[in-house]
Amino acid sequence: MKRILLYSMLVVALSSCERIIDIDPISNVGVGAFYRDYKEANTALTGCYNGMHAPLYNEWMMTELRSDLSLQGVANSSAAPRIEQNELDMFTLNADHLQVYDYWINTYRNIRAVNYLLNNMGVRYIDGDHQIQRNANMTETEWQHIVGEALFIRAYHYFNMVRLFGNIFMVTEPVNPNTSKSKNYDTKEDVYNLIIADLQRSIEVLPAIQYQNIPSDDLGRVTHWASRAMLAKVFLTLDRKNDALLELNEVISKSGHELATSYSDVFSIGNEMNAEILFAVRYKAGGFGLGSPFANLFAPTGSGSAVVNNDGDGLNFPTYEAMSMYYTSHATNKDTRYAANLAIYSPTKPYVKKYVSPIMTRYDAENDFPVLRYADILLMKAEALGYDGPNGESVQLINTVRERAGAVEYDGSSAFSAQFFTYPTTGTNSIDSESRFIDALLNERKLELAFENQRFFDLVRFGKAIETLKQHFENEYPEHYSRIVPAISLEDLKAKVTEQRLLLPIPLREITTNNELELEQNPGY
């Protein structure tokens, strides 16, 4: 897949030139094109994969920064980007926030590219269903591969958008500027219906090839199993646990995916697209414009080349709580996820290590960004099953993930928190109630999926966002938020976290440039 990414990048660079015009993203459709055969359609599909990079650049600000895992690391900074991050972090942003707009428009630009491709493949979404009229010069297998992968990408984008913004524009085919100005928001229900339909169609057309039988050149492409896993997460978000369980059981029993031997192996650039990864946004170092920026973005400022070549920007700064969440006092029996996820350059400069690898050029790392992996599948199954007792399957699934991270069986000889243990089936440290199960599961997801842009969505899905974030502000206030300029009191900070502000504002530019409809802003802004 990385060879395909590189080849298609060169083809596009040599054969096209696009002028970017800053207009309404749902009408910024550019110039139409017709993909005459599989080679041209596959090149267009690769452009859609590459188009996932731009929204992901800002996604951590919309998710991790708005959770209890990340901070804006320079509390007293007056730099505009740092202030924008503070506003997201503290839920004080307004509708003209630049980073929110960048995420919005970059997502819609890639949705536009996917819509062009699907239109060319004869796939249209009309009245809640896909209407198929094939008109492409390719084999049935080639057509299914293009369509199945493109539908997943569109569903992925809309799933993020509807969770972050609520009611949004649902665009499923190219539209002209005049038409776009007469289009109002679609409801969350309608958007979720599209997401589910896209993923179900993707599952239908993509072959159920086990991981070990996927050709090496196809590793990194969307698969049947990735679509099932994403659909399961959608169902969990909609509290359709039985439906989610059906999809998860298919992935677990038939996909060939499994946990990597060690946690650090999952993210090693020498072990990319391993059996644990169901889907990742892929990057390719080497000066081709396809490298990952996160090694430099997340490395600490002022570290020179000690952490990564050409210094870091100090973004996605781990909270003090995050730095201690893996801690045990035992000399050796520790959670191995700490060393893979976090590190400290100096006493005041912790950083996210997960995406750091040796690089030659700034913002050009090799590290892929995981979207779906097998540990998430196991924890989602525990969520779908619900609490079934201290010795039930759901607790055992949590323990399976903990065991891979180095947890040993609890023998009762020390405090449970003194070492890294699996949960026992009896005694005071067992998970003996539904509330303790939910707390344990949510905490395990925090430990396992840290800095993978999952935490905020988890807190919202479990109904724990407001109470967790208010406690987070209280925990971090003495060391961090008390130093924010201009000053904000703890009471005012906690008051900013409301159900309404869990959604991001619709970008103001989206509203003010539309002169035909009076578009409403999300409540709270």
Side-chain angles (χ1 to χ4, degrees):
M1 180 63 182
K2 287 206 174 181
R3 280 185 287 179
I4 295 170
L5 284 172
L6 177 57
Y7 168 76
S8 295
M9 182 69 177
L10 293 174
V11 169
V12 171
L14 292 172
S15 64
S16 69
C17 178
E18 180 178 328
R19 183 175 57 182
I20 301 300
I21 302 172
D22 185 17
I23 60 175
D24 188 304
I26 69 164
S27 65
N28 185 8
V29 296
V31 178
F34 183 76
Y35 310 120
R36 294 165 296 184
D37 53 29
Y38 174 73
K39 182 179 179 180
E40 291 185 359
N42 193 45
T43 299
L45 176 63
T46 302
C48 297
Y49 278 108
N50 293 344
M52 301 174 85
H53 290 178
L56 191 58
Y57 185 93
N58 300 86
E59 188 179 289
W60 69 272
M61 300 182 205
M62 315 297 132
T63 54
E64 302 294 60
L65 192 57
R66 298 170 71 225
S67 79
D68 55 348
L69 285 178
S70 294
L71 300 166
Q72 186 283 107
V74 187
N76 59 355
S77 175
S78 60
R82 299 282 185 176
I83 292 173
E84 289 173 348
Q85 290 160 31
N86 278 341
E87 291 168 346
L88 280 163
D89 181 16
M90 301 189 303
F91 293 81
T92 60
L93 73 162
N94 294 316
D96 58 354
H97 197 280
L98 180 60
Q99 301 302 327
V100 172
Y101 177 72
D102 284 350
Y103 181 82
W104 170 281
I105 195 170
N106 285 329
T107 301
Y108 271 114
R109 280 173 176 157
N110 206 42
I111 289 172
R112 173 194 62 189
V114 173
N115 287 340
Y116 265 125
L117 178 56
L118 287 171
N119 237 242
N120 278 201
M121 295 298 101
V123 178
R124 301 180 68 195
Y125 183 78
I126 301 173
D127 297 330
D129 195 13
H130 294 104
Q131 305 295 318
I132 309 296
Q133 187 174 2
R134 283 195 52 192
N135 55 8
N137 181 24
M138 61 187 70
T139 68
E140 178 70 15
T141 299
E142 291 170 340
W143 180 88
Q144 290 177 335
H145 140 65
I146 296 291
V147 168
E149 295 178 38
L151 287 169
F152 174 95
I153 295 172
R154 184 167 72 182
Y156 159 86
H157 283 312
Y158 273 124
F159 187 35
N160 285 339
M161 290 288 283
V162 73
R163 288 184 293 173
L164 288 171
F165 294 95
N167 296 337
I168 55 174
F169 300 111
M170 189 176 76
V171 188
T172 59
E173 57 184 272
V175 293
N176 63 51
N178 291 331
T179 302
S180 72
K181 288 185 177 182
S182 63
K183 180 171 178 53
N184 213 324
Y185 305 125
D186 292 271
T187 65
K188 289 190 290 184
E189 180 182 5
D190 287 339
V191 177
Y192 272 112
N193 286 340
L194 168 67
I195 293 167
I196 292 168
D198 278 358
L199 291 172
Q200 287 177 334
R201 181 71 66 171
S202 177
I203 291 166
E204 177 185 322
V205 300
L206 291 175
I209 302 173
Q210 288 193 316
Y211 167 79
Q212 58 269 27
N213 296 326
I214 298 174
S216 58
D217 285 349
D218 287 343
L219 288 173
R221 291 188 177 278
V222 173
T223 67
H224 175 95
W225 311 112
S227 292
R228 282 193 180 275
M230 184 66 78
L231 182 58
K233 185 160 288 190
V234 172
F235 282 146
L236 285 177
T237 302
L238 297 174
D239 199 28
R240 293 171 56 176
K241 293 182 178 179
N242 288 336
D243 291 327
L245 191 58
L246 292 173
E247 303 300 332
L248 294 166
N249 282 336
E250 286 289 303
V251 174
I252 290 169
S253 64
K254 299 178 181 178
S255 72
H257 285 281
E258 60 186 1
L259 291 178
T261 304
S262 72
Y263 185 80
S264 60
D265 282 349
V266 179
F267 313 101
S268 169
I269 62 172
N271 191 36
E272 294 178 310
M273 295 312 303
N274 55 75
E276 180 154 343
I277 303 295
L278 281 82
F279 184 72
V281 176
R282 306 216 66 191
Y283 290 92
K284 177 64 180 174
F288 306 108
L290 294 170
S292 168
F294 300 115
N296 290 105
L297 288 177
F298 297 165
T301 57
S303 56
S305 295
V307 174
V308 66
N309 197 26
N310 295 315
D311 208 353
D313 294 333
L315 306 184
N316 209 2
F317 191 92
T319 62
Y320 295 92
E321 179 186 1
M323 291 303 297
S324 63
M325 65 185 179
Y326 298 104
Y327 176 78
T328 61
S329 59
H330 195 270
T332 57
N333 184 21
K334 297 180 181 294
D335 191 330
T336 60
R337 294 175 290 200
Y338 173 86
N341 286 332
L342 297 162
I344 301 176
Y345 170 66
S346 73
T348 60
K349 292 185 176 181
Y351 64 95
V352 176
K353 183 183 177 184
K354 182 174 266 181
Y355 307 107
V356 173
S357 64
I359 63 171
M360 294 297 294
T361 306
R362 190 168 172 81
Y363 306 128
D364 189 37
E366 182 73 14
N367 311 70
D368 296 338
F369 199 101
V371 173
L372 292 164
R373 55 187 182 88
Y374 196 74
D376 192 6
I377 300 300
L378 298 181
L379 295 175
M380 281 198 288
K381 182 175 181 179
E383 182 179 346
L385 284 169
Y387 180 63
D388 55 359
N391 197 31
E393 184 180 0
S394 56
V395 173
Q396 292 306 309
L397 288 164
I398 296 174
N399 278 339
T400 298
V401 175
R402 290 174 73 83
E403 286 171 359
R404 194 272 295 275
V408 297
E409 185 176 348
Y410 183 59
D411 59 9
S413 63
S414 64
F416 187 74
S417 60
Q419 301 183 47
F420 185 42
F421 294 113
T422 56
Y423 292 102
T425 58
T426 60
T428 59
N429 295 300
S430 65
I431 300 177
D432 59 1
S433 68
E434 184 174 2
S435 63
R436 292 186 71 173
F437 167 73
I438 290 173
D439 289 344
L441 177 57
L442 190 54
N443 184 63
E444 202 60 39
R445 291 186 62 83
K446 178 182 179 181
L447 299 173
E448 177 68 25
L449 305 170
F451 308 103
E452 296 178 34
N453 299 349
Q454 301 267 13
R455 177 63 172 169
F456 177 79
F457 293 135
D458 287 350
L459 289 173
V460 173
R461 188 172 73 252
F462 278 76
K464 297 281 189 177
I466 292 178
E467 64 181 88
T468 300
L469 290 170
K470 288 187 175 183
Q471 186 61 53
H472 152 70
F473 287 141
E474 193 165 317
N475 295 342
E476 305 286 332
Y477 192 83
E479 296 294 332
H480 179 74
Y481 293 107
S482 62
R483 299 187 292 115
I484 291 288
V485 178
I488 184 169
S489 70
L490 176 58
E491 291 73 21
D492 286 345
L493 191 59
K494 293 166 72 172
K496 297 294 184 184
V497 187
T498 65
E499 285 288 345
Q500 291 178 332
R501 281 191 165 247
L502 292 179
L503 290 177
L504 292 168
I506 304 298
L508 184 62
R509 194 178 309 183
E510 191 71 52
I511 294 174
T512 57
T513 57
N514 192 321
N515 57 12
E516 293 191 17
L517 283 177
E518 188 173 341
L519 298 172
E520 293 183 1
Q521 181 55 268
N522 279 339
Y525 297 96

